Structure formats: C-alpha cells, structure tokens
Amino acid sequence: MKALISVVADLEGAISGGDHAKRVSMLRQVTGLFVQQAPRLSEEQIDAFDTVIVRLSRDIETAARMELSASLADVANAPYRAVRDLAFDPSAEVAGPVLERSERLDDDDLVQVASRGGQTHLRAVTD
C-alpha cells in the first residue's frame, strides 16, 4: 500500500509541478507499464491509465508526444482518449503513428481529423 501511495504522490507531483523532465520521465514509465500489461488489463484499468497518460502528456514537448504516439499506435486496446488526443495533435509527426496504425480510432474520428488537419494528417489517415 505504501508503494501505491508513493506512486500516486509521484504522479501528482509530476502533473502539478513545473518540472517537464520529471513529467516526461513519469509518462515514459506509465506508458511502458501500460504497454507491458495491456493484454491483461480490463477496460476499467485501461481507463485509469488513460486518465493518467492524458494528464501527463498535456503541455509537453513534441518529441515526447511523438514517442508516446509511436508507443501506443500498435497496442490494440490503447487508451482511447490518449490516442484520440494524439490523433488531433497539430503536429503531423505526433498524429501520424496513431492515424496510420491505431485500431482505437473509428471512422468518425478519422473523418474529423481529415477535415481539421492539414495535408500530412490527411495522408496519414489514408495510408
């Protein structure tokens, strides 16, 4: 129980604090744990990861979001809100992996991205 409390405290610190390096490090750890455990997770557990990943991935540099997109793109049960957030990222380098490979985006999501994004987003949707 103490370990869980420590992890939650670290997460809250990374989310609320201004230390971007700590936030990105925590995002990598949480994403790695998710990817490792994904085949065994329930929808409730996936939703919990989704909430944490979305909160950690806000307002971080493009390179870290690109890494996150690449990590989640091939996971069949990837956290939906996180994948959708990445798909709508203004940077085509961030959006590309999930647009090209993620099974979590439905046709409505892809149509919205294609209509809002630029040419590179559109190409990623059609590839």
Side-chain angles (χ1 to χ4, degrees):
M1 184 58 104
K2 287 183 183 182
L4 180 59
I5 292 169
S6 175
V7 169
V8 170
D10 287 347
L11 281 171
E12 284 303 318
I15 290 168
S16 64
D19 186 350
H20 288 291
K22 184 174 182 179
R23 190 176 202 165
V24 170
S25 174
M26 186 64 65
L27 177 61
R28 283 185 182 121
Q29 290 177 31
V30 170
T31 303
L33 179 61
F34 173 79
V35 170
Q36 216 175 34
Q37 298 298 318
R40 294 177 281 288
L41 297 175
S42 69
E43 281 302 315
E44 184 177 306
Q45 292 166 323
I46 294 168
D47 285 343
F49 272 100
D50 202 5
T51 300
V52 172
I53 290 171
V54 166
R55 288 188 66 196
L56 285 170
S57 65
R58 299 277 180 188
D59 303 320
I60 60 172
E61 66 271 5
T62 299
R65 288 181 58 81
M66 288 169 53
E67 182 182 330
L68 176 62
S69 183
S71 295
L72 296 178
D74 297 315
V75 180
N77 61 340
Y80 175 72
R81 289 183 310 271
V83 168
R84 193 169 192 281
D85 184 57
L86 294 164
F88 280 90
D89 193 286
S91 168
E93 290 83 11
V94 171
V98 294
L99 290 174
E100 293 168 4
R101 303 191 315 260
S102 181
E103 297 176 17
R104 291 295 266 186
L105 298 170
D106 62 26
D107 290 341
D108 289 338
D109 294 325
L110 297 175
V111 167
Q112 286 181 30
V113 169
S115 67
R116 292 182 192 173
Q119 284 296 97
T120 51
H121 282 71
L122 183 57
R123 271 194 296 277
V125 169
T126 59
D127 283 346

